Amino acid sequence: DMRLFRQHVGIPLLLLFLMLLDGQISTLIASFLPIRFHLVCHLVLIFLLFISVEVSDVTAFTIFLVIGILYDAYYFHVIGIAILLLPLLSVLVNKYNTIMMGNKITRFLSVLILVFLFEFVSFLLANLVSLTSMEISIFIVYSLAPTMVLNSLLLLLLQPVLEKVYL
């Protein structure tokens, strides 16, 4: 039936498209900013929250495991960071879904938490395996904080549409 098709084909394809779009938007924004700034668009994480009302825990975990592999290969060029974080974040969202989806404010804060966790833990893991040698203060000022602002603005723009579609 249509719901199964949407859950098992439509949503994974949408998330794959968003993963690729995240990179394009991030690159576009970077072209307008001083070189030190590194903003990361996280439409995938914004949608993770909203699709959690529609897909089962196992389906979400599987989708984000696959997206994690692709994300690692495409962005980090090393398998391990997103393949670990994205499925874990999907478990977190599915576990606390009723709280996170409670109202506009909890949805907004939840997206900020997801973006923070993904970015901060990615940075820590990248440091651990010597993918980066950036100082944490530099990371917070030039990457984490601007990324949080960008994704807050994206959520504010997208929230009305996402609420109509998923709630």
Side-chain angles (χ1 to χ4, degrees):
D1 88 321
M2 200 60 195
R3 200 176 61 97
L4 279 174
F5 178 80
R6 185 172 157 162
Q7 285 180 353
H8 297 285
V9 178
I11 288 174
L13 287 175
L14 172 68
L15 290 168
L16 183 63
F17 171 74
L18 291 174
M19 183 199 85
L20 297 171
L21 185 63
D22 278 345
Q24 298 304 312
I25 292 171
S26 299
T27 303
L28 179 70
I29 292 168
S31 69
F32 293 106
L33 293 173
I35 193 87
R36 294 195 71 176
F37 284 94
H38 181 75
L39 281 76
V40 184
C41 180
H42 282 296
L43 293 172
V44 166
L45 293 177
I46 292 171
F47 274 75
L48 165 60
L49 187 65
F50 285 89
I51 64 152
S52 69
V53 298
E54 204 168 307
V55 295
S56 73
D57 299 10
V58 176
T59 303
F61 185 87
T62 308
I63 291 169
F64 281 97
L65 190 68
V66 172
I67 298 269
I69 294 167
L70 298 170
Y71 197 102
D72 277 342
Y74 192 75
Y75 293 115
F76 294 132
H77 308 295
V78 61
I79 303 294
I81 295 176
I83 196 176
L84 176 72
L85 293 178
L86 289 175
L88 286 176
L89 290 175
S90 83
V91 169
L92 182 79
V93 167
N94 281 312
K95 185 167 175 48
Y96 297 105
N97 178 287
T98 50
I99 298 164
M100 292 174 137
M101 293 301 283
N103 59 53
K104 279 186 190 324
I105 293 162
T106 57
R107 286 189 289 275
F108 183 79
L109 293 174
S110 296
V111 166
L112 287 184
I113 291 166
L114 291 171
V115 169
F116 174 83
L117 287 173
F118 185 84
E119 284 294 314
F120 195 71
V121 177
S122 292
F123 172 78
L124 293 178
L125 291 172
N127 249 326
L128 189 70
V129 297
S130 303
L131 280 177
T132 184
S133 56
M134 188 188 298
E135 290 292 321
I136 193 161
S137 56
I138 301 291
F139 166 72
I140 290 169
V141 171
Y142 291 101
S143 185
L144 183 62
T147 292
M148 302 286 287
V149 171
L150 170 65
N151 286 283
S152 298
L153 295 172
L154 285 171
L155 178 61
L156 290 173
L157 283 171
L158 294 172
Q159 192 158 330
V161 175
L162 290 171
E163 286 170 355
K164 276 194 174 66
V165 173
Y166 290 102
L167 302 182

